[in-house]
Amino acid sequence: MENTKELRTWLNDMDLGHPLVIAGPCSAETEEQVLRIAKDLKDTDVNYYRAGIWKPRTRPGMFEGVGAIGLKWLQKVKEETGLKTATEVANRAHVELALEHDIDLLWVGARSTVSPFIVQEIADALEGTDKIVLIKNPVNPDLALWLGAVERLHKADIKKLGVIHRGFSTYEKTKYRNIPEWQLAIELQTKFPDLPIINDPSHITGKRDMIFDVSQTALDLNFDGLMIETHHDPDNAWSDAAQQVTPESLVQIMKDLKIRKETDAEAEYNSKLSNLRAQIDIFDHQLIETLGKRMKVSDGIGVIKKQRNVAVLQSNRWNEILGKMILEGESKGLSEEFVLRMFKAIHQESINHQEKIIKS
């Protein structure tokens, strides 16, 4: 994808003075609900009012959105509050209806991004539009697939493009609803620094009490904005109740977030330093997660050794592992001394785990 400098223009032209904020309910439920939340957000830093009109659900029978009637409610939001509006589109019909109702910002959902056929259909329907179009990452951690969707829309002469980082699905049980895989978003930023990137902490966390921390990490990594699901009565929301915050909570989150502006040489230095430290924090967390998983596998080996009455220490296996890791470490710029010390510590922890199992 070439000549992407114009992609950031729409965001720069807004001259916000703060990160872009997209907020509103996960789902439009009733006209009263949509308007009430919009009025609560009217005099805040919210730039676009979001509401799901069509909701892609994992299983049939779940609430799948109110449909096209909700677009009329979003029109009323614009008329009565002046807020610009945003919603998800998943096919040509959605696009046509959204454009008819003058929705200002459209996004392609994670389930749609995985299908080049769906993305192409949406791109064809949007060709040449001056609306803002954002593409959520696909549900699986595939940077090429994400960029492929951006390229299809870029080739459709859509100038106001951006992406939304909402995390990735996993079978593993983690503290996140969708694991951030921050390194993928960082790689995307590195390859295409002119492509605006918005973070969706609501879908990453799945829990309202984690939204602040993920939002702060995103801002430390120089994300351009946030999409935060907001509901006046989140516990009774018709979809994704646990991850929505009240308008009051959203205002407090925005007040508490540290936004680092590059206004002079010192500020630029601090911003770059914060960005790099945030990246290190992410990798440190991943290291601990990986080591924890490794020890669980080691525990499984300990169980098998106990059943067969086999010694914990297997010298040949250990030397084989160590030799491979030294070579691999050297290829990554790691000294032999460091790799030896690190793996000796890991090996000792594995032995400690297995000895506990054998003695139990």
Side-chain angles (χ1 to χ4, degrees):
M1 189 168 62
E2 300 176 353
N3 301 320
T4 60
K5 288 189 179 297
E6 80 278 7
L7 296 183
R8 186 165 290 278
T9 303
W10 65 267
L11 189 59
N12 291 341
D13 287 346
M14 294 177 73
D15 194 24
L16 297 175
H18 62 79
L20 183 75
V21 181
I22 305 167
C26 173
S27 301
E29 299 166 359
T30 65
E31 181 177 343
E32 179 187 9
Q33 170 245 14
V34 168
L35 289 170
R36 175 173 176 176
I37 298 168
K39 288 173 182 176
D40 286 343
L41 297 176
K42 177 182 176 183
D43 297 317
T44 67
D45 284 337
V46 172
N47 306 109
Y48 287 86
Y49 182 80
R50 60 143 291 151
I53 303 302
W54 301 281
K55 299 296 298 179
R57 310 302 289 176
T58 303
R59 300 179 67 181
M62 302 173 73
F63 174 61
E64 296 184 338
V66 296
I69 186 66
L71 296 171
K72 296 187 183 299
W73 304 343
L74 287 179
Q75 282 184 308
K76 281 196 173 183
V77 165
K78 191 183 294 190
E79 292 168 4
E80 296 187 17
T81 70
L83 284 169
K84 293 183 178 180
T85 54
T87 199
E88 178 179 347
V89 291
N91 56 44
R92 177 181 289 275
H94 291 174
V95 170
E96 291 172 350
L97 285 166
L99 294 179
E100 284 176 19
H101 291 80
D102 196 28
I103 303 301
D104 300 287
L105 183 154
L106 309 175
W107 77 83
V108 180
R111 289 179 174 87
S112 299
T113 306
V114 298
S115 170
F117 295 110
I118 291 174
V119 174
Q120 189 60 56
E121 178 182 329
I122 293 170
D124 292 342
L126 284 169
E127 187 167 5
T129 185
D130 64 350
K131 301 293 186 183
I132 296 170
V133 183
L134 305 179
I135 303 99
K136 285 197 173 187
N137 62 253
V139 291
N140 49 312
D142 187 333
L143 183 58
L145 195 58
W146 196 1
L147 285 173
V150 176
E151 287 170 351
R152 287 177 186 275
L153 288 155
H154 190 238
K155 286 181 178 180
D157 195 30
I158 299 167
K159 299 289 195 298
K160 297 178 181 178
L161 271 181
V163 296
I164 300 173
H165 169 239
R166 50 80 77 189
F168 303 87
S169 297
T170 176
Y171 289 113
E172 298 174 15
K173 187 175 181 180
T174 74
K175 66 178 182 179
Y176 300 106
R177 178 181 178 184
N178 295 289
I179 53 176
E181 297 284 7
W182 293 105
Q183 69 276 11
L184 279 179
I186 292 167
E187 187 177 348
L188 181 110
Q189 283 179 310
T190 303
K191 287 184 175 180
F192 300 101
D194 295 310
L195 184 65
I197 181 166
I198 311 300
N199 183 258
D200 178 353
S202 302
H203 279 90
I204 287 175
T205 65
K207 301 169 187 170
R208 63 179 66 93
D209 60 352
M210 294 172 62
I211 285 175
F212 174 82
D213 288 339
V214 169
S215 297
Q216 187 62 67
T217 297
L219 295 185
D220 289 343
L221 292 171
N222 292 333
F223 277 55
D224 297 287
L226 302 166
M227 177 184 276
I228 300 178
E229 293 186 349
T230 311
H231 195 292
H232 70 282
D233 184 14
D235 288 334
N236 291 302
W238 294 5
S239 58
D240 289 348
Q243 68 190 38
Q244 300 190 64
V245 299
T246 63
E248 295 77 17
S249 295
L250 176 67
V251 169
Q252 191 61 51
I253 287 170
M254 299 311 298
K255 283 182 179 177
D256 293 341
L257 287 171
K258 294 179 181 177
I259 302 166
R260 298 171 176 86
K261 301 176 183 177
E262 296 183 17
T263 54
D264 53 40
E266 183 67 19
E268 184 177 359
Y269 162 79
N270 288 328
S271 177
K272 288 179 178 178
L273 190 62
S274 295
N275 179 284
L276 292 172
R277 283 173 171 168
Q279 292 187 43
I280 284 177
D281 288 345
I282 289 163
F283 290 125
D284 285 347
H285 172 74
Q286 290 172 344
L287 278 173
I288 294 296
E289 287 281 325
T290 300
L291 287 172
K293 292 173 186 175
R294 190 189 191 283
M295 291 307 157
K296 285 183 179 179
V297 174
S298 183
D299 289 346
I301 292 173
V303 171
I304 293 173
K305 286 179 178 178
K306 181 178 182 179
Q307 292 171 347
R308 293 299 183 107
N309 196 28
V310 174
V312 169
L313 181 60
Q314 300 288 312
S315 298
N316 290 340
R317 167 66 177 164
W318 162 237
N319 291 330
E320 181 184 339
I321 290 173
L322 201 56
K324 286 180 180 178
M325 291 303 102
I326 288 172
L327 290 174
E328 190 165 337
E330 287 176 350
S331 72
K332 304 295 184 184
L334 303 175
S335 69
E336 179 177 338
E337 181 187 5
F338 171 74
V339 173
L340 277 170
R341 282 190 282 114
M342 179 178 68
F343 273 91
K344 281 181 180 179
I346 293 172
H347 186 235
Q348 185 59 55
E349 183 69 9
S350 295
I351 289 174
N352 293 344
H353 274 240
Q354 292 182 19
E355 282 182 342
K356 284 181 182 179
I357 290 169
I358 287 174
K359 290 176 181 178
S360 62

